[in-house]
Amino acid sequence: MKAYLVLDLSVHDFAGFRNYIAEIPAHIARHSGKYIVQGVVPTPIEGGWKPERMVIIEFPARDNAQDFLADPEIQDLFKVRHQTTTSRLVLADGCT
């Protein structure tokens, strides 16, 4: 069953965030992930959720997503994201 990482983020230090943008795609691919949505400005439709930017990454299975999140080689990149953005991240399983 496919799994999806959904990231809602607001960038407050774009210069510092550039390194993350440049390096993270190779790590995603190494864990068999692919972008479904990449840094777009979404259009809120209902409720009070107003994300500034949205990223959705598809993995072939939950294990791939969890391995990506736990990968020791990219923990420093995650720190960059945490320092340069305000972000919320969820992992959701697909339907099939």
Side-chain angles (χ1 to χ4, degrees):
M1 180 181 319
K2 292 182 180 180
Y4 299 87
L5 283 176
V6 180
L7 177 65
D8 161 6
L9 74 156
S10 301
V11 179
H12 52 76
D13 176 4
F14 189 76
F17 190 59
R18 285 180 190 209
N19 186 48
Y20 180 89
I21 293 169
E23 292 187 28
I24 201 69
H27 295 285
I28 292 168
R30 194 171 73 240
H31 291 278
S32 301
K34 67 178 183 178
Y35 284 103
I36 301 299
V37 174
Q38 187 174 7
V40 302
V41 177
T43 303
I45 303 297
E46 291 184 9
W49 187 22
K50 295 182 183 2
E52 278 187 34
R53 297 219 175 263
M54 174 107 2
V55 175
I56 301 174
I57 304 166
E58 179 184 80
F59 292 90
R62 177 177 271 266
D63 287 347
N64 297 85
Q66 290 173 321
D67 289 347
F68 166 74
L69 294 170
D71 186 336
E73 293 184 31
I74 56 176
Q75 297 310 305
D76 286 342
L77 272 181
F78 290 156
K79 288 178 187 174
V80 168
R81 179 170 52 82
H82 295 150
Q83 293 167 351
T84 59
T85 73
T86 300
S87 58
R88 289 153 295 282
L89 180 67
V90 297
L91 174 58
D93 293 324
C95 296
T96 57

